[in-house]
Amino acid sequence: MASVGGAGVRSSKRKHQETKVEKLKTDTSSAMPVPFTGNSAPPLYSVEIRHGPGKTAHDLDNQPALKKPKLPLAAELDGFGLQSNATRSLTAEEPKLVACRLDRMRGAVRTLLECIGEDPDREGLQDTPSRYANALLFLTSGHQMNVDTIVNKALFHESHHGMVIMRDIEICSLCEHHLLPFTGKMHIGYVPSSAVIGLSKLPRIAEIFSRRLQIQERLTKEVAHAIMEAVKPQGVAVVMEASHLCISMRGVQKPGTITITSHFSGCLEQSDLRSEFLGLVGMSRA
Ligand SMILES: Nc1nc2c(ncn2[C@@H]2O[C@H](COP(=O)(O)OP(=O)(O)OP(=O)(O)O)[C@@H](O)[C@H]2O)c(=O)[nH]1
């Protein structure tokens, strides 16, 4: 993947790895600061590669007496975002399991409200656990969609060998680190080989992958891979520009920043075609 945003993108050894600059751990069992020992002072920062989620998950469900059926996982990341076994089992989930999933989500939201010092039974909040559970299920409904069903055979034989571009596709997704939204625009282009795809299917494919827990880089790559797989064109380009609430509202608190990610494959990796695409979507710096 190439970045057009200026900043270099670190390559990763595995798909779920992420790098983190993290303060070296100090002795947290003591309230006292670690004494400065002169020459042998440790470096302040180290680089650590994190595998998978990395942090301990806490079970907030405070109903241990309830017999809980085992819920299927929503996603098994296969690196390409195509429908995995786990996604298939979620799609075919029985109503009993759907109800159980919703019930546990409502319980978890109640717990969250209590933990921030709210009264979940006050009038304005009574339906909030249900509303939030339903909203979260909708925002992650892409786990239950797959590319074949969405494309619905809308592929048409056509000898068009120029570029096809749909730009400014609105995207709303949820960052998997903070479960906060990131929103922006995606620009998709491809050079057909023997078939073109129904235009509406491009934003529909983008929706499948944006309605999942995501990071922007993976979302960009997954949309490109799905189009490559479905249309088998000569090349695909996907560029996304988005702002992340986890960056603007909390943490580093930098509203107004835009993150740009891109993925070029096939003939669109060539610099002349890449430049033509970036020019047509209004992203060239000329
Ligand atoms: N690469 C990438 N990082 C993301 C994306 N969305 C959120 N992040 C980052 O994920 C990182 C998570 O870092 P952590 O140190 O584990 O979490 P944190 O303590 O909440 O970090 P801060 O946001 O720096 O306060 C943060 O740097 C976020 O900005 C994304 O789409 N792509």
Side-chain angles (χ1 to χ4, degrees), residues 18 20-21 50 55 175-178 182 214-217 244 246-247 250-252 259:
E18 56 180 277
K20 184 192 181 194
V21 178
R50 216 191 281 162
K55 287 176 184 166
C175 104
E176 68 182 15
H177 301 129
H178 301 95
F182 62 98
Q214 276 293 3
I215 65 169
Q216 190 178 322
E217 295 91 328
H244 293 241
C246 68
I247 289 172
R250 54 152 301 284
V252 71
T259 304

Short mmCIF file of all heavy atoms in Angstrom, two decimals, residues 18 20-21 50 55 175-178 182 214-217 244 246-247 250-252 259, ligand 1:
data_model
loop_
_atom_site.label_atom_id
_atom_site.label_comp_id
_atom_site.label_asym_id
_atom_site.label_seq_id
_atom_site.Cartn_x
_atom_site.Cartn_y
_atom_site.Cartn_z
N GLU A 18 0.36 -4.23 15.01
CA GLU A 18 0.45 -2.80 14.95
C GLU A 18 1.61 -2.39 15.82
O GLU A 18 1.99 -3.08 16.75
CB GLU A 18 -0.86 -2.15 15.41
CG GLU A 18 -1.27 -2.58 16.78
CD GLU A 18 -2.55 -1.91 17.20
OE1 GLU A 18 -2.50 -0.77 17.68
OE2 GLU A 18 -3.59 -2.53 17.06
N LYS A 20 3.59 0.24 18.38
CA LYS A 20 3.21 1.23 19.38
C LYS A 20 4.45 1.72 20.09
O LYS A 20 5.31 0.95 20.45
CB LYS A 20 2.26 0.58 20.38
CG LYS A 20 1.76 1.59 21.38
CD LYS A 20 1.07 0.95 22.52
CE LYS A 20 0.59 2.05 23.44
NZ LYS A 20 0.21 1.57 24.72
N VAL A 21 4.55 3.02 20.22
CA VAL A 21 5.61 3.57 21.05
C VAL A 21 5.00 3.72 22.43
O VAL A 21 4.03 4.43 22.63
CB VAL A 21 6.05 4.94 20.51
CG1 VAL A 21 7.13 5.53 21.41
CG2 VAL A 21 6.57 4.79 19.09
N ARG A 50 2.51 -5.13 18.80
CA ARG A 50 1.41 -5.74 19.53
C ARG A 50 0.73 -6.76 18.64
O ARG A 50 0.42 -6.48 17.50
CB ARG A 50 0.42 -4.66 19.93
CG ARG A 50 -0.19 -4.92 21.27
CD ARG A 50 -1.32 -3.97 21.47
NE ARG A 50 -0.87 -2.66 21.87
CZ ARG A 50 -1.66 -1.60 21.75
NH1 ARG A 50 -2.87 -1.71 21.26
NH2 ARG A 50 -1.25 -0.44 22.13
N LYS A 55 -4.90 -6.08 24.86
CA LYS A 55 -5.29 -5.75 26.23
C LYS A 55 -6.34 -6.74 26.73
O LYS A 55 -7.13 -7.27 25.97
CB LYS A 55 -5.83 -4.31 26.28
CG LYS A 55 -4.70 -3.30 26.14
CD LYS A 55 -5.20 -1.89 26.09
CE LYS A 55 -4.03 -0.95 25.86
NZ LYS A 55 -4.44 0.40 25.49
N CYS A 175 -13.93 2.87 14.55
CA CYS A 175 -12.55 2.44 14.77
C CYS A 175 -12.54 1.34 15.82
O CYS A 175 -13.26 1.41 16.83
CB CYS A 175 -11.66 3.63 15.13
SG CYS A 175 -11.18 3.80 16.84
N GLU A 176 -11.77 0.31 15.53
CA GLU A 176 -11.80 -0.86 16.41
C GLU A 176 -11.06 -0.61 17.73
O GLU A 176 -11.19 -1.39 18.66
CB GLU A 176 -11.22 -2.09 15.71
CG GLU A 176 -9.74 -2.03 15.44
CD GLU A 176 -9.24 -3.26 14.69
OE1 GLU A 176 -10.06 -4.01 14.14
OE2 GLU A 176 -8.01 -3.44 14.66
N HIS A 177 -10.30 0.48 17.80
CA HIS A 177 -9.55 0.73 19.03
C HIS A 177 -10.40 1.38 20.10
O HIS A 177 -10.24 1.10 21.28
CB HIS A 177 -8.35 1.63 18.74
CG HIS A 177 -7.43 1.04 17.73
ND1 HIS A 177 -6.98 1.73 16.61
CD2 HIS A 177 -6.89 -0.18 17.64
CE1 HIS A 177 -6.20 0.95 15.90
NE2 HIS A 177 -6.13 -0.22 16.50
N HIS A 178 -11.27 2.31 19.71
CA HIS A 178 -12.04 3.06 20.70
C HIS A 178 -13.55 2.91 20.48
O HIS A 178 -14.35 3.50 21.23
CB HIS A 178 -11.68 4.55 20.64
CG HIS A 178 -10.23 4.82 20.89
ND1 HIS A 178 -9.31 4.94 19.87
CD2 HIS A 178 -9.53 4.95 22.05
CE1 HIS A 178 -8.11 5.15 20.38
NE2 HIS A 178 -8.21 5.16 21.70
N PHE A 182 -15.21 7.00 12.58
CA PHE A 182 -14.40 7.81 11.68
C PHE A 182 -15.19 7.96 10.39
O PHE A 182 -15.85 7.04 9.94
CB PHE A 182 -12.97 7.30 11.48
CG PHE A 182 -12.81 5.93 10.86
CD1 PHE A 182 -12.55 5.78 9.50
CD2 PHE A 182 -12.87 4.78 11.65
CE1 PHE A 182 -12.35 4.53 8.93
CE2 PHE A 182 -12.68 3.52 11.09
CZ PHE A 182 -12.43 3.39 9.73
N GLN A 214 -13.19 -1.38 12.32
CA GLN A 214 -12.16 -1.21 11.30
C GLN A 214 -11.00 -0.37 11.77
O GLN A 214 -11.07 0.32 12.78
CB GLN A 214 -12.78 -0.49 10.08
CG GLN A 214 -13.49 -1.38 9.11
CD GLN A 214 -12.56 -2.34 8.37
OE1 GLN A 214 -11.36 -2.39 8.63
NE2 GLN A 214 -13.10 -3.12 7.44
N ILE A 215 -9.93 -0.43 10.98
CA ILE A 215 -8.97 0.67 10.93
C ILE A 215 -8.98 1.13 9.47
O ILE A 215 -9.33 0.34 8.57
CB ILE A 215 -7.55 0.28 11.41
CG1 ILE A 215 -6.90 -0.74 10.50
CG2 ILE A 215 -7.58 -0.22 12.84
CD1 ILE A 215 -5.41 -0.92 10.81
N GLN A 216 -8.63 2.37 9.26
CA GLN A 216 -8.81 2.94 7.93
C GLN A 216 -7.98 2.22 6.87
O GLN A 216 -8.42 2.02 5.74
CB GLN A 216 -8.45 4.44 7.98
CG GLN A 216 -8.83 5.17 6.71
CD GLN A 216 -8.51 6.65 6.78
OE1 GLN A 216 -8.68 7.27 7.84
NE2 GLN A 216 -8.08 7.21 5.68
N GLU A 217 -6.78 1.82 7.25
CA GLU A 217 -5.91 1.16 6.28
C GLU A 217 -6.52 -0.15 5.79
O GLU A 217 -6.52 -0.46 4.60
CB GLU A 217 -4.53 0.84 6.91
CG GLU A 217 -3.71 2.04 7.29
CD GLU A 217 -3.94 2.51 8.73
OE1 GLU A 217 -5.07 2.35 9.25
OE2 GLU A 217 -2.99 3.04 9.33
N HIS A 244 -11.11 11.13 12.34
CA HIS A 244 -11.37 10.14 13.39
C HIS A 244 -11.77 10.84 14.69
O HIS A 244 -11.02 11.68 15.19
CB HIS A 244 -10.11 9.30 13.64
CG HIS A 244 -9.73 8.42 12.48
ND1 HIS A 244 -9.66 7.05 12.58
CD2 HIS A 244 -9.41 8.73 11.20
CE1 HIS A 244 -9.32 6.55 11.41
NE2 HIS A 244 -9.15 7.54 10.55
N CYS A 246 -11.77 9.61 17.54
CA CYS A 246 -10.85 9.27 18.64
C CYS A 246 -9.64 10.19 18.65
O CYS A 246 -8.94 10.29 19.65
CB CYS A 246 -10.41 7.80 18.57
SG CYS A 246 -9.36 7.42 17.18
N ILE A 247 -9.42 10.88 17.54
CA ILE A 247 -8.31 11.84 17.49
C ILE A 247 -8.80 13.26 17.76
O ILE A 247 -8.11 14.05 18.39
CB ILE A 247 -7.61 11.75 16.10
CG1 ILE A 247 -6.84 10.43 16.03
CG2 ILE A 247 -6.68 12.93 15.86
CD1 ILE A 247 -6.29 10.10 14.68
N ARG A 250 -10.99 13.20 21.79
CA ARG A 250 -10.35 12.68 23.00
C ARG A 250 -8.87 12.47 22.66
O ARG A 250 -8.42 12.87 21.59
CB ARG A 250 -10.99 11.34 23.44
CG ARG A 250 -11.00 10.32 22.33
CD ARG A 250 -10.97 8.88 22.79
NE ARG A 250 -9.81 8.53 23.59
CZ ARG A 250 -8.59 8.35 23.10
NH1 ARG A 250 -8.33 8.47 21.81
NH2 ARG A 250 -7.58 8.04 23.91
N GLY A 251 -8.15 11.84 23.58
CA GLY A 251 -6.75 11.51 23.31
C GLY A 251 -5.96 12.76 22.94
O GLY A 251 -5.95 13.74 23.66
N VAL A 252 -5.40 12.74 21.74
CA VAL A 252 -4.52 13.83 21.33
C VAL A 252 -5.30 15.12 21.01
O VAL A 252 -4.73 16.20 20.95
CB VAL A 252 -3.64 13.35 20.14
CG1 VAL A 252 -4.45 13.20 18.88
CG2 VAL A 252 -2.44 14.24 19.91
N THR A 259 -6.87 11.90 7.73
CA THR A 259 -5.96 10.79 7.44
C THR A 259 -6.27 10.28 6.03
O THR A 259 -7.43 10.05 5.70
CB THR A 259 -6.16 9.64 8.46
OG1 THR A 259 -5.98 10.17 9.76
CG2 THR A 259 -5.19 8.51 8.21
N1 LIG B 1 -3.40 3.18 12.02
C1 LIG B 1 -4.59 3.51 12.54
N2 LIG B 1 -4.66 3.87 13.81
C2 LIG B 1 -5.86 4.21 14.30
C3 LIG B 1 -7.03 4.20 13.54
N3 LIG B 1 -8.05 4.61 14.32
C4 LIG B 1 -7.51 4.87 15.54
N4 LIG B 1 -6.18 4.64 15.53
C5 LIG B 1 -5.13 4.79 16.56
O1 LIG B 1 -5.02 3.65 17.37
C6 LIG B 1 -4.13 4.01 18.41
C7 LIG B 1 -4.45 3.26 19.67
O2 LIG B 1 -3.39 3.55 20.55
P1 LIG B 1 -3.35 3.18 22.12
O3 LIG B 1 -2.11 3.77 22.70
O4 LIG B 1 -3.56 1.72 22.27
O5 LIG B 1 -4.68 3.88 22.66
P2 LIG B 1 -4.84 5.28 23.39
O6 LIG B 1 -4.11 5.26 24.68
O7 LIG B 1 -6.30 5.55 23.45
O8 LIG B 1 -4.10 6.26 22.39
P3 LIG B 1 -4.33 7.81 22.09
O9 LIG B 1 -5.40 7.90 21.04
O10 LIG B 1 -2.99 8.29 21.59
O11 LIG B 1 -4.76 8.48 23.36
C8 LIG B 1 -4.20 5.52 18.53
O12 LIG B 1 -2.97 6.04 18.08
C9 LIG B 1 -5.31 5.91 17.53
O13 LIG B 1 -5.10 7.18 16.95
C10 LIG B 1 -6.92 3.79 12.17
O14 LIG B 1 -7.89 3.74 11.41
N5 LIG B 1 -5.68 3.47 11.72
#
